Amino acid sequence: MHVLSLTPSLIFPFLFLISTIPISQAKPTTSHPQTLPHVRHRGLSVDYYSKKCPQLESLVGSVTSQRFKEAPVSAPATIRLFFHDCFVSGCDGSILIETKKGSKNLAEREAEENKELREEGFESIIKAKALVESHCPSRVSCSDILAIATRDFIHLAGGPYYQVKKGRWDGKRSTANNVPSNIPRSNSTVDQLIKLFASKGLTVEDLVVLSGAHTIGFAHCKSFVGRLYDFKGTKRPDPNINSSLLKELRMYCPFSGRSSRAALPLDATTPFAFDNGYYKGLGSNMGLLGSDQAMFLDPRTKPIVLEMARDKQKFLKAFGEAMDKMGSIGVKRGRKHGEIRKDCRVFL
């Protein structure tokens, strides 16, 4: 398999166009992930807004297409936003809530794991909500807009176009303390990842397939610098990292960490295309994050990685199906459990 070297001429454009899309390196937590139900809610359907707001998808689409042209980073930023929303309290838009000034009760987006979520993701949803609200006031939830925008950005980047089931209500709570135990880490073991995904009703295959979103992601040096110099306290680099990749990464990520604001592509071959290049890279030990490369080493996940690497169309189909499944995690319905916000940043 051909291994593409991350030469300076390749990396510098990435550093210029996209400063950072880091993976959290928060300290390990002893709390357990919150178990959230994955239920095929009767209220979720593709045509949920056919009468309430028939032009919904075209309205959101007009915003996402413009944002993708103006700021391509909006695509991976919004995809990551959706993951972080669904995994903590369910797909309920709670990640979008801003903490009230002076409040000691911090919202999810203030958690350490979410501190460096890109503003482009939030801005895309705020703009889309404003446009939708001007046509369909108080009818469409922020959580549904986030789900639709995520699908749009995936498709704009070359990924699958899948039907988004709608009918989610926005959550009434957003708590930073709920975040640490529910977000994967860049150094998570496969055991930890499988356990976390299982707590959301997702399978091992879902884990591997959804990780394919890293095909257009970027990460800060601090997310993987340990692999370059002191892997698991050995004072040596991770033996499962491509030697050419190691050399190039050390150029941009010195041990001192002075360049930790730099961001490098999780998929070195085609970082701006939503394809299966991410999986091919794992086969050449080109995984940037320890948690990604670990999936190629574990017998439970390696066969799925190889399958996705062999067949791009199979990956794209599986990814759309897995996103539909993830989009059903912890869905809120009705006034008892949810609301339809007018401003995604503020509870009613």
Side-chain angles (χ1 to χ4, degrees), residues 57-346:
E57 299 223 4
S58 62
L59 290 172
V60 176
S62 67
V63 173
T64 52
S65 60
Q66 187 64 30
R67 293 284 296 171
F68 190 71
K69 292 176 184 176
E70 295 174 351
V73 70
S74 299
T78 303
I79 296 168
R80 189 174 178 217
L81 199 60
F82 188 51
F83 275 71
H84 280 231
D85 185 45
C86 292
F87 263 61
V88 176
S89 300
C91 307
D92 64 354
S94 53
I95 187 65
L96 303 169
I97 291 292
E98 294 182 352
T99 301
K100 290 183 179 179
K101 289 184 178 180
S103 175
K104 293 182 180 180
N105 299 316
L106 300 181
E108 286 177 24
R109 67 184 292 178
E110 301 300 327
E112 191 63 34
E113 292 76 9
N114 290 333
K115 284 280 183 70
E116 293 178 328
L117 288 173
R118 293 285 302 214
E119 280 301 318
E120 287 86 349
F122 292 101
E123 290 168 4
S124 296
I125 305 308
I126 298 307
K127 286 181 180 292
K129 173 61 172 176
L131 181 60
V132 170
E133 200 67 15
S134 69
H135 288 76
C136 310
S138 301
R139 296 177 213 168
V140 182
S141 67
C142 297
S143 48
D144 275 344
I145 290 174
L146 176 55
I148 295 168
T150 298
R151 185 276 315 278
D152 286 354
F153 280 124
I154 288 169
H155 185 60
L156 287 165
Y161 185 91
Y162 53 91
Q163 294 293 328
V164 175
K165 293 186 178 69
K166 298 168 283 289
R168 303 166 187 80
W169 286 45
D170 298 322
K172 294 182 176 182
R173 294 188 180 89
S174 181
T175 307
N177 288 340
N178 291 340
V179 175
S181 61
N182 288 291
I183 296 296
R185 310 193 188 288
S186 60
N187 59 353
S188 292
T189 65
V190 173
D191 278 337
Q192 291 169 334
L193 291 172
I194 289 175
K195 181 178 180 180
L196 176 60
F197 274 64
S199 72
K200 315 301 176 187
L202 300 173
T203 66
V204 175
E205 181 174 357
D206 294 327
L207 159 63
V208 177
V209 170
L210 290 171
S211 294
H214 286 176
T215 184
I216 57 170
F218 289 71
H220 276 146
C221 289
K222 68 178 183 179
S223 298
F224 53 85
V225 70
R227 298 186 69 206
L228 310 183
Y229 302 97
D230 186 21
F231 181 64
K232 295 184 177 179
T234 62
K235 306 297 183 184
R236 298 179 62 83
D238 185 344
N240 295 302
I241 187 169
N242 180 279
S243 58
S244 297
L245 177 64
L246 174 64
K247 182 178 179 181
E248 297 289 349
L249 292 178
R250 281 180 163 180
M251 290 174 58
Y252 297 96
C253 305
F255 184 68
S256 64
R258 286 175 296 183
S259 298
S260 63
R261 295 301 298 174
L264 302 176
L266 293 164
D267 174 4
T269 55
T270 54
F272 293 107
F274 202 101
D275 57 18
N276 62 339
Y278 159 79
Y279 297 106
K280 293 178 180 179
L282 297 183
S284 298
N285 286 347
M286 293 286 283
L288 195 63
L289 306 180
S291 55
D292 283 347
Q293 193 59 52
M295 290 193 297
F296 188 76
L297 303 172
D298 192 287
R300 293 167 293 182
T301 50
K302 182 176 180 178
I304 307 169
V305 171
L306 291 172
E307 188 176 18
M308 297 300 109
R310 281 193 301 266
D311 193 334
K312 176 184 174 181
Q313 292 307 314
K314 186 164 189 175
F315 160 60
L316 295 179
K317 182 176 183 294
F319 189 83
E321 292 171 350
M323 287 296 288
D324 173 63
K325 187 175 178 181
M326 188 184 78
S328 297
I329 295 174
V331 168
K332 275 66 171 184
R333 293 283 301 157
R335 289 186 175 83
K336 182 178 179 181
H337 303 288
E339 60 185 22
I340 306 297
R341 291 182 219 138
K342 294 183 178 182
D343 183 336
C344 296
R345 298 164 291 188
V346 184

Side-chain angles (χ1 to χ4, degrees), residues 26-37:
K27 294 179 180 179
T29 176
T30 55
S31 58
H32 298 291
Q34 181 180 359
T35 300
L36 295 170

